[in-house]
Amino acid sequence: MANPRDAEGFPGHGNEFLHAENSRDRIYMDYNATTPVAPEVIQATYEALRDAWGNPSSSYVEGTKAKALITRSRESLARMVGGNPEDVFFTSGGTESNNMVLHSAIEHFRRQHPDDGSLPHIISCDVEHDSVKKVAEHLKEDGRADFTFVAVSKVTGRVEADDVIAAVRPTTCLVSIMLANNETGVIMPIREISERVRSLKQRDERARVLVHTDAAQALGKIPVDVKRLAVDYLTIVGHKFYGPRISALYVNGPGVKTPLYPLLIGGGQEKNYRPGTENTPMIAGLGKAAELVTAHLSDYESHMLDVRDYLEERLKAAFGDKLHFNNHFQGSDRLPNTCNVSILGQGLQGWRVLSRCKKLLASVGAACHSDRGDRPSPILLSCGVTPEVASNALRLSVGRKTSRADVDAAVEDLQEAVKLLEQGR
């Protein structure tokens, strides 16, 4: 007997499941925190649960079916970032991928310098995500590595290549800089940094410095090409581009061109680099999400840019001189979907404004820092935004289905919230 939820009856085919994040009652504008899962991704995940349940390491039909699906997804991810399928490894999330990169760079340095007692040195920036920054701080406290956090420019809001190169030491083994910042949307000059670092490699191969970029916020919003960026490692995070909450790590020639060491110990999956029975349904969903990006990125990008610009126009019309954009930096590009703005005035802290909103769902910064929403964002402070202005910040990030009507409703909601607060309510 056929399952009544198969085919057209499966969630994802009914209109009630299609991008229900925005409705008459709620307007979602926190896409930099996470995205809803695309209906096509839900369908691919379900089909894998139903049909590809075998262990991918098994040789019988059920196992080979799962293995084929994983291979297909690996190819889709490689296409999305312009790499080779054999250079893509699946992980549980962006945090694991980033940890794996830092672990590999440190382990490689240790094996190259077994007797001299020198500490590996890693360069990052002061607006990096905690999945790099906190790991760096832990490794430093543990005496396993030394780190330099390069400050971003208060003019451009980005880390400059000159400052990164100036921080390189004889013991530097890795530069890890995010591709786009999650709060400001500012795009970092990764290609320039990679090229400058590569010139150091050419002078002294023993002093080779690896380059990693966490592309979590960039994928699905702007073109990302590992060959153009010239990076050794690139982190892919599914739930930022309408996929499931798993990740992948691109490694340029793992074990040959670029060192890679397992963070976990167990079986021989993922060429012995990442043990554990593969999560076939989530991998299938991640592959489908990548296919959607490859097929439709230009449309996604132009739509988000149009809506983001309309949002900023409506905010200026609504609040006038009380408005301050926190991510309009001279000479820097930013993501097409990200608006970071403060509504100036006493008692108009971002968290207070959002608490009075009846429709708008947004944030004051990174979701992983939501427990400190009453304090100004360290990211904005690092970019030169004053504490008074940063305290009032709102991060509004739009998505593929955000409409101008959604923007109108969100701005109206913000106006009502500010009015209530100014009235002491």
Side-chain angles (χ1 to χ4, degrees):
M1 182 175 177
N3 188 324
R5 293 175 71 77
D6 282 356
E8 71 272 13
F10 177 71
H13 289 276
N15 289 334
E16 70 273 19
F17 291 98
L18 296 180
H19 296 282
E21 67 271 18
N22 285 353
S23 66
R24 192 174 300 173
D25 298 323
R26 294 291 188 185
I27 305 297
Y28 185 74
M29 286 192 178
D30 204 16
Y31 289 88
N32 284 8
T34 198
T35 57
V37 181
E40 299 92 335
V41 173
I42 295 174
Q43 181 68 23
T45 303
Y46 167 71
E47 289 175 356
L49 280 165
R50 183 191 63 193
D51 301 331
W53 51 266
N55 191 315
S57 297
S58 301
S59 58
Y60 40 78
V61 172
E62 288 79 1
T64 57
K65 186 180 291 186
K67 190 72 172 179
L69 193 54
I70 291 170
T71 298
R72 213 158 46 240
S73 294
R74 203 184 307 276
E75 291 167 349
S76 296
L77 286 160
R79 260 192 308 275
M80 179 178 69
V81 299
N84 300 314
E86 59 269 23
D87 294 343
V88 174
F89 299 88
F90 297 107
T91 68
S92 63
T95 296
E96 183 189 338
S97 291
N98 290 344
N99 271 258
M100 195 172 183
V101 170
L102 269 66
H103 167 75
S104 293
I106 290 171
E107 180 64 16
H108 184 63
F109 181 92
R110 188 185 67 81
R111 296 188 185 199
Q112 280 188 318
H113 305 80
D115 303 316
D116 62 12
S118 56
L119 276 181
H121 175 242
I122 294 177
I123 298 170
S124 191
C125 70
D126 62 351
V127 299
E128 198 66 37
H129 191 270
D130 275 356
S131 59
V132 169
K133 203 169 187 179
K134 293 289 186 184
V135 180
E137 291 169 355
H138 171 75
L139 290 167
K140 187 171 183 177
E141 288 172 8
D142 210 30
R144 295 175 55 197
D146 199 5
F147 284 82
T148 297
F149 294 105
V150 176
V152 295
S153 164
K154 290 176 171 52
V155 175
T156 64
R158 67 183 197 174
V159 64
E160 299 297 345
D162 283 347
D163 296 328
V164 171
I165 297 303
V168 173
R169 306 175 187 171
T171 55
T172 302
C173 61
L174 177 71
V175 171
S176 178
I177 306 288
M178 57 175 30
L179 184 50
N181 185 262
N182 47 312
E183 292 191 28
T184 64
V186 169
I187 299 168
M188 304 295 179
I190 301 301
R191 182 182 182 183
E192 183 185 357
I193 290 169
S194 295
E195 289 174 346
R196 298 281 297 277
V197 168
R198 185 185 298 167
S199 70
L200 296 176
K201 295 179 193 177
Q202 290 171 349
R203 289 202 302 270
D204 182 0
E205 182 58 32
R206 280 201 73 233
R208 183 185 178 201
V209 181
L210 301 160
V211 179
H212 164 240
T213 191
D214 180 347
Q217 287 297 338
L219 287 162
K221 299 167 189 170
I222 59 172
V224 175
D225 187 302
V226 292
K227 290 185 172 59
R228 184 178 182 279
L229 294 172
V231 292
D232 299 294
Y233 308 97
L234 183 137
T235 297
I236 299 164
V237 180
H239 75 98
K240 303 294 187 179
F241 57 95
Y242 292 72
R245 287 193 176 121
I246 66 165
S247 174
L249 178 64
Y250 161 84
V251 184
N252 181 22
V256 180
K257 294 181 182 177
T258 304
L260 185 65
Y261 296 95
L263 187 63
L264 306 172
I265 305 301
Q269 294 89 350
E270 295 293 282
K271 299 181 183 176
N272 292 311
Y273 289 121
R274 205 281 179 175
T277 305
E278 297 92 339
N279 190 346
T280 308
M282 293 299 104
I283 289 172
L286 186 62
K288 177 56 70 173
E291 288 177 21
L292 294 174
V293 170
T294 300
H296 305 294
L297 178 60
S298 178
D299 292 337
Y300 296 155
E301 186 178 9
S302 60
H303 171 77
M304 287 187 285
L305 181 60
D306 175 76
V307 174
R308 196 275 314 277
D309 287 350
Y310 180 69
L311 170 62
E312 295 190 348
E313 290 169 9
R314 290 285 288 111
L315 287 168
K316 283 188 285 187
F319 296 104
D321 292 341
K322 292 169 64 176
L323 202 71
H324 182 273
F325 290 109
N326 301 317
N327 63 341
H328 288 191
F329 293 102
Q330 179 182 331
S332 289
D333 293 325
R334 58 188 170 119
L335 296 174
N337 78 317
T338 306
C339 169
N340 196 303
V341 65
S342 294
I343 303 169
L344 306 179
Q346 189 173 0
L348 298 183
Q349 292 90 346
W351 67 273
R352 289 184 183 275
V353 173
L354 291 176
S355 72
R356 299 304 192 277
C357 287
K358 295 180 179 178
K359 293 183 178 182
L360 177 62
L361 302 176
S363 66
V364 297
C368 52
H369 297 159
S370 59
D371 61 333
R372 59 187 193 215
D374 58 338
R375 284 179 280 170
S377 160
I379 301 297
L380 295 184
L381 296 178
S382 294
C383 293
V385 180
T386 65
E388 295 77 17
V389 174
S391 293
N392 288 24
L394 301 169
R395 181 184 69 176
L396 308 175
S397 46
V398 303
R400 298 173 187 174
K401 296 293 181 179
T402 309
S403 67
R404 289 191 170 207
D406 293 330
V407 168
D408 291 336
V411 172
E412 185 178 319
D413 199 25
L414 284 170
Q415 286 179 294
E416 290 297 317
V418 169
K419 183 178 177 182
L420 287 172
L421 288 169
E422 288 178 335
Q423 293 173 347
R425 296 161 61 190

